[in-house]
Amino acid sequence: TGLLIGSSFVFKKKGLINCTKNGMLAGEGHAYLKSVMWWSGMVMMIVGEIFNFVAYAFVQPILVTPLGALSVVICAILSSIFLRERLTLQGKVGCAQCIVGATIIVLHAPEQTSVKTIQEFQHYMIQPIFLTWMFIIIIASLLLVFKAGPRWGKQYMMVYIGVCSLIGSLSVVATQGLGAAIIHNISTGEPQFNNWFIYFVIIFMVVTLLTEINYLNKALNLFNTAMVTPTYYVTFTSTTIITSAILYQGFHATIVAILTVCLGFLTICGGVLLLQTSK
């Protein structure tokens, strides 16, 4: 998954560069949809996300998402080779820190409630605390798109990366719920597709994924890939774990385990800072 998704960033960036050379304004329009290179990257990302989809069906997001650090490293290395984006020693140390931080999180990840059926997922998703959090995410994303985007979108990459991360966190929990329901349907024979809520989850997942991809493309088109990828990884991982914790109402862990996971995040953030300042 890390290899496919990390490589997909480079392929899509190359396609966006080619479109810009042909007259498309950076961050504007959708001319990249005619690019074979961009679609090659998109296919690689889809295949990688399919593997993620399967993983989310069996394992909690706090274990799956941090392993995306591998895609950051692969993207940074391939960007320096094929896109000629310089990766200094400081940037390499930053990549190493991302991996170390992800490893710490995986080794000390707290237990979390998981669902097996669409009915269980619906029960958690309609809780007032999660509905409130989802409302906050949607409002914040709309403000970033319609207020911050036109003014600062071309200057600060966190505008569009923020949209990707916030909306992406919702797509992850939807993917987990849908995947678990499908696996349960296949393994036990208990029908899941006779519940209307599963179709809502499918539509919700598709809309959030398309939104995430659209604004990720804008960020890639405007800024250096080696900077976008690690920054997106950290913000996406952080918001996903927070969203998952709110959905399933916390973690089952000791204070030591929770503090260790927090230190893992700080290690990753330090790695991203090194990557950014190395440019």
Side-chain angles (χ1 to χ4, degrees), residues 23-236:
M24 186 184 81
L25 295 176
E28 302 292 338
H30 297 84
Y32 54 81
L33 293 175
K34 298 179 182 179
S35 170
V36 175
M37 185 68 69
W38 185 87
W39 276 110
S40 298
M42 193 66 228
V43 170
M44 294 175 72
M45 176 170 277
I46 290 172
V47 175
E49 292 298 343
I50 289 174
F51 286 123
N52 268 342
F53 180 86
V54 176
Y56 282 126
F58 291 98
V59 185
Q60 54 190 344
I62 196 172
L63 286 175
V64 177
T65 311
L67 291 179
L70 180 59
S71 67
V72 175
V73 176
I74 292 172
C75 181
I77 294 173
L78 293 181
S79 294
S80 66
I81 297 173
F82 297 106
L83 300 179
R84 298 181 181 179
E85 296 180 354
R86 189 183 178 195
L87 183 63
T88 63
L89 176 61
Q90 183 178 332
K92 294 174 183 177
V93 173
C95 288
Q97 273 197 227
C98 288
I99 295 177
V100 171
T103 303
I104 292 173
I105 292 173
V106 170
L107 292 177
H108 299 276
E111 292 293 327
Q112 189 179 48
T113 304
S114 59
V115 297
K116 293 183 179 179
T117 66
I118 195 64
Q119 291 86 355
E120 292 178 3
F121 183 67
Q122 180 181 359
H123 168 74
Y124 284 107
M125 199 169 180
I126 62 175
Q127 295 301 309
I129 186 171
F130 182 74
L131 291 176
T132 301
W133 175 246
M134 187 166 62
F135 176 77
I136 292 172
I137 286 179
I138 293 172
I139 294 299
S141 299
L142 290 174
L143 289 174
L144 286 172
V145 170
F146 295 107
K147 293 292 184 179
R151 295 184 62 183
W152 303 300
K154 294 184 178 181
Q155 295 176 305
Y156 305 102
M157 63 180 177
M158 280 306 300
V159 173
Y160 293 131
I161 290 179
V163 177
C164 297
S165 302
L166 290 170
I167 298 299
S169 67
L170 294 178
S171 72
V172 166
V173 295
T175 299
Q176 184 194 24
L178 178 62
I182 292 175
I183 296 299
H184 183 77
N185 193 118
I186 295 173
S187 60
T188 66
E190 182 181 344
Q192 296 293 295
F193 287 88
N194 58 358
N195 188 316
W196 67 269
F197 192 74
I198 197 169
Y199 300 101
F200 168 79
V201 173
I202 292 173
I203 295 172
F204 183 81
M205 183 184 70
V206 170
V207 171
T208 52
L209 281 174
L210 290 177
T211 304
E212 179 185 357
I213 290 170
N214 181 57
Y215 287 99
L216 180 59
N217 282 328
K218 286 183 178 292
L220 284 171
N221 203 8
L222 291 167
F223 303 99
N224 190 309
T225 311
M227 293 177 65
V228 170
T229 309
T231 305
Y232 171 62
Y233 163 74
V234 170
T235 54
F236 172 71

Side-chain angles (χ1 to χ4, degrees), residues 233-252:
Y233 163 74
V234 170
T235 54
F236 172 71
T237 301
S238 302
T239 53
T240 296
I241 292 176
I242 292 171
T243 300
S244 181
I246 292 174
L247 175 66
Y248 296 114
Q249 301 171 15
F251 301 110
H252 304 289

